[in-house]
Amino acid sequence: MSSEDMKKRILSGIQPSGSFTLGNYIGAIRNWAALQDQFDCLYMVADLHALTVRQVPAQLRAHTCEAVSMLLAAGIDPKQSILFVQSHVPAHTQLNWILCCNCQFGELSRMTQFKDKSLSHPDNVNGGLFTYPALMAADILVYNADLVPVGQDQTQHLELARTVANRFNNLYSPTFHLPEGYITKEGAKIMSLADPSKKMSKSDPNVNSFVLMNDDKDTIIRKFKRAVTDSEGTVRYDVENKAGISNLMSIYHVFTGKDMSEIENEFSGRGYADFKAAVGEVVSDALAPIQGEYTKYMNDKAYLNEVLKDGAEKASRIADRMVSKVYKKVGLYQM
């Protein structure tokens, strides 16, 4: 077996919900490009998952194109990885039904995100929201992924995927790998600029709490200048007592490579205004070339369609084999 064949398979997905935030980039997308040399990577725009919340159809289609363009701009190479849209590979929903029939009601009802989203959208607590973790398990297991990059809010879903895979293996004979979480060492969680006790999210009504990947330089610098800090006036890393400054230091570290002591020394005796301006500069400078690539891809729909067609075909070749195997094991008659 060649070293290429021995690469572990990694799968990750992101919903097409409009422009990604700086938190999405640092915590996930930035690392996806770096994983391509080390792993056999599949990257998915999870449009089916987006349907658990009411969508404007034209916006969902546009956001899907935007997500694919941004992933390409951020360094995902479709010749090296498989980049695809979830709904373009029917095997995901085919396996989903089998897994739903092997998940217990109690297991699904305990999912924290189901409880949280039910409170956020009380007028639309739908069945898809309830069975969302089974579809997520299908996303992973249909490719027999070894690793799944996860944040803290997704570990419960990964555990369910492992549970249902193990249950199926015991009932029908070994079929699925038990996927493991892959947690990056740094920049995994970027906090709100307006409230550093909360994760950065564009659902926050305060637009100054997040930076979008396609914000222009002036907007980025203005948002960092308004970032909440503290009254001490010293650039020092202390997550518990100086959450705002520590969050900005984490962001500065990601884009400069400087460790916390180097950052503290660089801004020793200088005020927060200097530091916040410097963070805004390094972020806007880092995002500028990505924004240029993003615009290029958004203006080339023929290329996007070509990438997605190729990605769907490659993903389907892997996923269809798994579905066929699973259907046979559960006793579905196949011609």
Side-chain angles (χ1 to χ4, degrees), residues 215-223 280-281 284-285 291:
D215 277 345
D216 60 40
K217 183 169 185 172
D218 288 345
T219 300
I220 292 170
I221 290 174
R222 185 178 71 251
K223 287 181 177 181
E281 287 285 344
S284 58
D285 287 349
Q291 292 170 346

Side-chain angles (χ1 to χ4, degrees), residues 239-313:
V239 175
E240 189 173 336
N241 298 304
K242 295 171 67 66
I245 282 294
S246 297
N247 186 44
L248 296 181
M249 289 177 74
S250 295
I251 294 169
Y252 194 70
H253 157 71
V254 164
F255 292 108
T256 64
K258 296 176 181 178
D259 64 30
M260 298 309 169
S261 61
E262 288 178 300
I263 298 170
E264 288 171 1
N265 289 334
E266 181 182 353
F267 292 94
S268 177
R270 297 164 65 182
Y272 286 168
D274 275 2
F275 177 53
K276 292 198 279 190
V279 179
E281 287 285 344
V282 297
V283 170
S284 58
D285 287 349
L287 294 186
I290 297 173
Q291 292 170 346
E293 288 292 293
Y294 168 79
T295 300
K296 181 184 78 174
Y297 291 123
M298 280 298 290
N299 290 329
D300 193 349
K301 290 301 190 322
Y303 177 70
L304 287 186
N305 289 339
E306 181 186 321
V307 166
L308 293 180
K309 183 173 183 292
D310 183 59
E313 288 172 355

Side-chain angles (χ1 to χ4, degrees), residues 186-244:
E186 60 184 11
K189 193 171 186 181
I190 298 301
M191 312 308 285
S192 162
L193 299 183
D195 180 358
S197 68
K198 299 191 303 186
K199 188 175 178 180
M200 183 179 284
S201 169
K202 65 169 171 278
S203 62
D204 193 312
N206 183 351
V207 295
N208 292 309
S209 70
F210 54 83
V211 171
L212 296 176
M213 290 285 289
N214 56 9
D215 277 345
D216 60 40
K217 183 169 185 172
D218 288 345
T219 300
I220 292 170
I221 290 174
R222 185 178 71 251
K223 287 181 177 181
F224 276 109
K225 282 181 177 178
R226 293 178 178 175
V228 169
T229 51
D230 55 68
S231 58
E232 184 185 289
T234 304
V235 176
R236 179 169 56 83
Y237 192 74
D238 181 348
V239 175
E240 189 173 336
N241 298 304
K242 295 171 67 66

Side-chain angles (χ1 to χ4, degrees), residues 23-329:
N24 296 139
Y25 178 67
I26 292 175
I29 299 166
R30 171 177 165 269
N31 299 305
W32 291 5
L35 296 173
Q36 294 178 113
D37 292 329
Q38 188 179 355
F39 299 106
D40 173 16
C41 298
L42 294 106
Y43 293 129
M44 169 185 78
V45 176
D47 58 341
L48 293 174
H49 285 301
L51 295 178
T52 59
V53 175
R54 290 281 176 260
Q55 300 286 336
V56 177
Q59 283 184 1
L60 179 58
R61 282 189 288 271
H63 288 165
T64 300
C65 288
E66 290 165 10
V68 174
S69 297
M70 191 58 82
L71 292 177
L72 290 169
I76 303 302
D77 181 355
K79 293 179 181 174
Q80 194 174 9
S81 302
I82 299 177
L83 176 60
F84 65 101
V85 172
Q86 184 186 26
S87 65
H88 295 176
V89 183
H92 288 251
T93 49
Q94 292 173 311
L95 182 59
N96 175 47
W97 178 247
I98 304 298
L99 297 187
C100 278
C101 294
N102 285 277
C103 282
Q104 298 302 302
F105 183 89
E107 290 169 338
L108 293 172
S109 64
R110 285 193 293 273
M111 294 291 110
T112 304
Q113 284 205 340
F114 171 69
K115 296 174 184 175
D116 292 346
K117 289 193 176 183
S118 297
L119 291 173
S120 303
H121 303 277
D123 58 332
N124 184 28
V125 184
N126 57 72
L129 187 62
F130 186 71
T131 59
Y132 168 99
L135 178 56
M136 185 176 285
D139 297 334
I140 299 164
L141 299 177
V142 80
Y143 300 107
N144 251 341
D146 300 293
L147 299 168
V148 184
V150 288
Q152 284 186 325
D153 56 347
Q154 297 295 344
T155 53
Q156 195 181 28
H157 289 160
L158 179 62
E159 195 53 45
L160 181 72
R162 289 173 56 86
T163 298
V164 73
N166 195 48
R167 181 177 294 139
F168 189 95
N169 290 347
N170 289 333
L171 280 170
Y172 297 105
S173 76
T175 307
F176 300 117
H177 294 167
L178 297 187
E180 295 182 1
Y182 183 88
I183 300 173
T184 53
K185 293 183 177 64
E186 60 184 11
K189 193 171 186 181
I190 298 301
M191 312 308 285
S192 162
L193 299 183
D195 180 358
S197 68
K198 299 191 303 186
K199 188 175 178 180
M200 183 179 284
S201 169
K202 65 169 171 278
S203 62
D204 193 312
N206 183 351
V207 295
N208 292 309
S209 70
F210 54 83
V211 171
L212 296 176
M213 290 285 289
N214 56 9
D215 277 345
D216 60 40
K217 183 169 185 172
D218 288 345
T219 300
I220 292 170
I221 290 174
R222 185 178 71 251
K223 287 181 177 181
F224 276 109
K225 282 181 177 178
R226 293 178 178 175
V228 169
T229 51
D230 55 68
S231 58
E232 184 185 289
T234 304
V235 176
R236 179 169 56 83
Y237 192 74
D238 181 348
V239 175
E240 189 173 336
N241 298 304
K242 295 171 67 66
I245 282 294
S246 297
N247 186 44
L248 296 181
M249 289 177 74
S250 295
I251 294 169
Y252 194 70
H253 157 71
V254 164
F255 292 108
T256 64
K258 296 176 181 178
D259 64 30
M260 298 309 169
S261 61
E262 288 178 300
I263 298 170
E264 288 171 1
N265 289 334
E266 181 182 353
F267 292 94
S268 177
R270 297 164 65 182
Y272 286 168
D274 275 2
F275 177 53
K276 292 198 279 190
V279 179
E281 287 285 344
V282 297
V283 170
S284 58
D285 287 349
L287 294 186
I290 297 173
Q291 292 170 346
E293 288 292 293
Y294 168 79
T295 300
K296 181 184 78 174
Y297 291 123
M298 280 298 290
N299 290 329
D300 193 349
K301 290 301 190 322
Y303 177 70
L304 287 186
N305 289 339
E306 181 186 321
V307 166
L308 293 180
K309 183 173 183 292
D310 183 59
E313 288 172 355
K314 288 177 179 174
S316 292
R317 278 198 290 272
I318 301 169
D320 289 348
R321 285 197 297 270
M322 177 57 78
V323 166
S324 180
K325 183 190 294 186
V326 168
Y327 274 21
K328 184 177 180 181
K329 289 195 176 190

